[in-house]
């Protein structure tokens, strides 16, 4: 194996697992994941230390539907447990495909999926205004019944029906950080932080408890990359670059920019909340601490790492490789 001490945290978007128009059979998901893993395995063979995080929206949504449909037969599980299930499902597919590709490429790196909890602060303002839609759509009547019976916050979603909304708090720290760091150091390819991590809080006595919330996967990946002291945060999605004036006649692709330039573009409203917004925010946080963030299309993962595709978000000046270290654990 070539020596290359560069650590890359990769955040996989929804399209790495499920493509638009697919129903989400296991076979469909496996084909997508396999194609994604072929590219990631190549990075490992090129000597990069790789940590993989991923989204879980459609998968956890399906688990919530299963829970609800079978509620009379099987006790439904809370959201944190559903998040944990989705980390297992997706982690299993990624782990197996990555192992198979690495084996074919004659790389001996172990691959491991780590169930990951992300610490949140119960005083986070998002807890008093839940905003992240999760799970199935309901009629207005059913939604109001659920609000009364279960105390869920329910909201109408862009004319498509009613949905449950949950808080989307800031990721404060990663519970399993030291273990992840040790595994990465030992040469393992680690899959962790799926779906932004299972949201947990630490009580006054130090004990951890799950909470009904969803952490943005890109912000969680940024937190993980900062706390690991990674060199590169690579956010892989379904657009080739960051665009200014996206979907207008003035649309312009960005090849490169400093985090300060990105702050100005974000303030000018170029990035949509809930899609490109959190990605750019994640990139800004990482580059501000001295790292390089890359936002690129999944298919361009390898050229983007070499600076030949995607958008690079850089620190203003060159600094040490170690980013800020959080103390949230
Ligand atoms: P992921 O599953 O990868 O997180 P998202 O759908 O959340 O994907 O985010 C990617 C989407 O962001 C793109 O498909 C694109 O439509 C949208 N987007 C919004 N604003 C921009 C922008 N300024 N430049 C590029 N893409 C943008
Ligand atoms: Mg997204």
């Amino acid at each position: 194996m070539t020596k290359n001490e560069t650590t890359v945290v990769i955040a996989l978007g929804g399209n790495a697992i499920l493509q638009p128009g697919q129903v989400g059979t296991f076979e469909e998901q496996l084909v997508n994941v396999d194609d994604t893993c072929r590219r990631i395995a190549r990075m490992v063979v090129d000597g990069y230390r790789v940590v993989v995080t991923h989204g879980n929206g459609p998968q956890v949504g399906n688990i919530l539907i299963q829970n609800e449909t079978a509620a009379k037969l099987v006790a439904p599980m809370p959201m944190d447990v559903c998040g944990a299930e989705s980390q297992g499902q997706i982690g299993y597919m990624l782990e197996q495909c990555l192992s198979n590709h690495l084996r074919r490429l004659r790389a001996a790196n172990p691959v491991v999926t780590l169930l990951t909890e992300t610490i949140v602060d119960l005083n986070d303002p998002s807890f008093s205004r839940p905003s992240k839609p999760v799970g199935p759509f309901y009629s207005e009547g059913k939604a109001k019944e659920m609000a009364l019976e279960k105390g869920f916050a329910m909201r109408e979603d862009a004319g498509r029906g009613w949905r449950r909304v949950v808080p989307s708090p800031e990721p404060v720290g990663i519970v399993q950080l030291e273990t992840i760091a040790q595994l990465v150091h030992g040469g393992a390819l680690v899959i962790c932080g799926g779906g932004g991590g299972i949201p947990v809080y630490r009580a006054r006595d130090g004990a951890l408890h799950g909470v009904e919330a969803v952490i943005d996967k890109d912000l969680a990946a940024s937190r993980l990359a900062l706390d690991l002291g990674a060199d590169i945060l690579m956010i892989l999605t379904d657009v080739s670059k960051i665009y200014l004036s996206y979907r207008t006649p003035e649309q312009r692709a960005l090849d490169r920019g400093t985090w300060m330039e990105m702050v100005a573009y974000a303030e000018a409203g170029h990035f949509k909340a809930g899609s490109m917004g959190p990605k750019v925010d994640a990139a800004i946080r990482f580059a501000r601490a001295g790292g390089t963030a890359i936002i690129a299309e999944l298919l361009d993962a390898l050229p983007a790492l070499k600076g030949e595709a995607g958008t690079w978000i850089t620190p203003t000046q060159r600094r040490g490789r170690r980013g800020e270290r959080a103390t949230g654990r």
Side-chain angles (χ1 to χ4, degrees):
M1 199 175 63
T2 24
K3 268 274 171 247
N4 173 349
E5 297 292 287
T6 308
T7 301
V8 188
V9 171
I10 299 177
L12 295 174
N15 67 323
I17 309 162
L18 201 58
Q19 308 279 339
Q22 295 182 332
V23 295
T25 64
F26 175 68
E27 289 74 17
E28 280 172 341
Q29 298 194 51
L30 197 65
V31 167
N32 299 327
V33 167
D34 188 69
D35 191 57
T36 302
C37 291
R38 189 163 46 81
R39 298 165 207 280
I40 297 175
R42 175 48 63 190
M43 292 180 195
V44 175
V45 170
D46 286 346
Y48 290 94
R49 290 176 164 168
V50 179
V51 179
V52 178
T53 76
H54 57 84
N56 71 344
Q59 291 77 18
V60 83
N62 287 345
I63 293 170
L64 290 167
I65 294 172
Q66 286 174 338
N67 256 308
E68 196 171 304
T69 313
K72 288 200 171 77
L73 293 172
V74 182
M77 290 293 127
M79 273 208 64
D80 51 330
V81 178
C82 297
E85 283 182 39
S86 76
Q87 286 188 356
Q89 281 192 357
I90 300 168
Y92 164 60
M93 290 190 281
L94 286 166
E95 187 173 313
Q96 190 174 75
C97 292
L98 283 167
S99 304
N100 288 343
H101 281 292
L102 287 173
R103 189 165 174 272
R104 203 164 307 140
L105 294 167
R106 307 200 185 289
N109 309 61
V111 185
V112 59
T113 306
L114 203 89
L115 200 73
T116 313
E117 295 158 293
T118 303
I119 306 249
V120 301
D121 179 354
L122 289 185
N123 293 315
D124 191 293
S126 76
F127 283 103
S128 50
R129 31 181 171 78
S131 62
K132 173 80 185 165
V134 289
F137 291 88
Y138 301 97
S139 68
E140 186 173 350
K142 176 74 182 161
K144 294 202 163 144
E145 190 185 305
M146 288 172 73
L148 275 177
E149 273 179 15
K150 301 182 182 168
F152 287 176
M154 305 294 294
R155 190 171 303 158
E156 214 273 327
D157 189 341
R160 295 183 295 175
W162 288 68
R163 275 178 107 182
R164 181 177 180 198
V165 284
V166 296
S168 188
E170 282 286 327
V172 176
I174 312 290
V175 177
Q176 288 77 15
L177 180 69
E178 286 309 325
T179 309
I180 296 167
Q182 284 169 18
L183 288 166
V184 173
H185 244 80
L189 202 175
V190 187
I191 301 152
C192 60
I198 304 161
V200 296
Y201 69 94
R202 216 180 263 291
R204 279 175 179 276
D205 64 359
L208 292 170
H209 302 277
V211 23
E212 304 263 310
V214 170
I215 300 163
D216 181 84
K217 72 121 185 0
D218 296 312
L219 296 183
S222 185
R223 179 77 275 158
L224 177 68
L226 285 168
D227 293 356
L228 277 177
D231 305 277
I232 297 174
L233 168 65
M234 182 178 235
I235 299 178
L236 295 175
T237 182
D238 59 1
V239 274
S240 58
K241 285 174 197 286
I242 296 179
Y243 292 95
L244 299 181
S245 308
Y246 185 58
R247 289 192 170 152
T248 72
E250 286 79 47
Q251 173 170 307
R252 178 162 76 83
L254 277 181
D255 293 333
R256 232 185 148 82
T258 65
W259 68 268
M260 282 165 102
E261 289 167 334
M262 294 302 151
V263 169
Y265 294 138
E267 281 170 359
H270 286 283
F271 315 122
K272 218 174 127 203
S275 59
M276 191 48 76
K279 295 185 201 313
V280 172
D281 195 3
I284 289 170
R285 294 176 189 194
F286 189 66
R288 190 175 54 203
T292 296
I294 305 169
I295 297 178
E297 188 165 6
L298 180 62
L299 305 176
D300 288 336
L302 294 167
L305 202 48
K306 299 194 190 100
E308 295 159 4
T311 306
W312 276 48
I313 298 107
T314 56
T316 317
Q317 315 125 301
R318 289 218 161 273
R319 288 221 336 226
R321 295 205 319 188
R322 289 241 143 200
E324 64 179 44
R325 272 209 165 239
T327 49
R329 287 169 300 121

